[in-house]
Amino acid sequence: GVIVTNRGDEQRLYAEKSIASLRHIPIGSNITPCVPPDYNRSVWRAALGFSDEDVVVGYFGFLNASKGIETLLQAVRIAQNNTLPVKLLMIGGRTGTSDPANILYAKEIEEMVEDLGLNEHIHWTGFVDNTAVSGHMLAADMFALPFRDGVSFRRGSLMAALAHGCAIITTHPETDMVDLVSDEHVRLVPPDSPTALALAIEDLADNPALRENMGTNAHTLSEEFTWEKIARRSADYFQELLDTRS
């Protein structure tokens, strides 16, 4: 038997391979929502250099060429040029160890930040523990995850943002994701389009009620991806495979 974590892989394997049993079981969030003790959002934001008036756009995860960081930086500059007080909160380590190419890519991103004049508008947290990640995610007004290959439930950063009830802007998926509805769970924009992303940031900044509603729906959706449910579905699948061989 074969387990896949997303519909895209399921469709490709179904079409390309002769597999007797194929089951789609998604991943969950790699960060457990955990509000820091005595959490005060305004105080937390101030410690990061953000005011209550700033529009804080969060990003979580390593820097990788597939994640559309260039698009995000350009979109922030466009929104700032349109007088929106946008700031970026980049949560987590920059490169990790799984892909050496990420180190070169991170240097390119640092040069782009300099060229766009965004150094004073970005806070990089570096590696932080689970509780700090939660505090940072809750401090942002929205999250931008402009994946170049489209959003997918295989993305841990998406799952973490859903679990924290964030208002999320991300890119149209390559394959159908019926569970993810634009302006209900997330705002979907085309990949590699700084203008579209900037307009989405500006629109959500002007619509706090929509952000709140999207965040509530995102959190509700995340309940389908708890590790307890994933473990149960995996165990049930293993038992089904064993039963067919008994």
Side-chain angles (χ1 to χ4, degrees):
V2 174
I3 292 175
V4 294
T5 63
N6 60 92
R7 296 295 183 189
D9 287 347
E10 182 182 33
Q11 292 173 9
R12 281 188 288 272
L13 285 177
Y14 185 82
E16 298 172 6
K17 306 290 183 182
S18 177
I19 298 174
S21 179
L22 185 64
R23 183 65 53 87
H24 169 230
I25 302 176
I27 65 168
S29 172
N30 52 4
I31 298 294
T32 302
C34 179
V35 180
D38 301 320
Y39 184 75
N40 182 297
R41 188 170 181 268
S42 293
V43 172
W44 194 281
R45 283 166 63 103
L48 296 172
F50 305 136
S51 70
D52 290 337
E53 289 72 34
D54 287 329
V55 177
V56 179
V57 178
Y59 170 88
F60 175 52
F62 296 131
L63 303 184
N64 180 279
S66 72
K67 297 182 179 179
I69 311 301
E70 302 100 319
T71 300
L72 175 56
L73 296 177
Q74 292 168 339
V76 168
R77 172 46 65 199
I78 291 171
Q80 288 180 342
N81 290 343
N82 291 337
T83 72
L84 192 70
V86 185
K87 300 292 179 67
L88 263 179
L89 176 57
M90 306 294 282
I91 306 170
R94 301 195 191 192
T95 59
T97 58
S98 61
D99 187 350
N102 288 353
I103 297 175
L104 294 176
Y105 180 69
K107 292 181 179 178
E108 295 175 5
I109 291 301
E110 289 170 3
E111 292 174 359
M112 189 173 187
V113 168
E114 182 72 30
D115 293 341
L116 291 172
L118 294 176
N119 275 320
E120 301 302 315
H121 304 280
I122 299 181
H123 182 95
W124 304 84
T125 71
F127 286 103
V128 288
D129 63 19
N130 189 117
T131 300
V133 170
S134 279
H136 293 326
M137 296 189 84
L138 296 173
D141 295 298
M142 65 188 79
F143 262 72
L145 302 170
F147 306 117
R148 300 190 69 187
D149 54 354
V151 66
S152 168
F153 286 133
R154 67 181 172 84
R155 296 286 192 176
S157 52
L158 171 69
M159 308 312 286
L162 290 173
H164 283 79
C166 300
I168 305 164
I169 305 171
T170 189
T171 47
H172 291 285
E174 288 186 337
T175 56
D176 187 32
M177 293 173 65
V178 295
D179 297 327
L180 206 64
V181 180
S182 188
D183 280 8
E184 181 175 340
H185 306 104
V186 298
R187 167 65 63 87
L188 295 175
V189 298
D192 299 317
S193 177
T195 300
L197 180 54
L199 288 173
I201 291 171
E202 293 171 15
D203 185 46
L204 291 190
D206 289 338
N207 288 279
L210 176 59
R211 295 201 310 271
E212 182 178 0
N213 186 60
M214 287 170 56
T216 298
N217 292 336
H219 183 266
T220 300
L221 178 61
S222 76
E223 294 297 319
E224 297 300 314
F225 307 110
T226 64
W227 286 109
E228 291 81 3
K229 290 184 178 180
I230 291 166
R232 173 49 54 197
R233 292 173 66 182
S234 299
D236 289 346
Y237 181 53
F238 298 155
Q239 189 60 55
E240 286 179 26
L241 294 176
L242 290 171
D243 290 344
T244 62
R245 286 154 178 78
S246 60

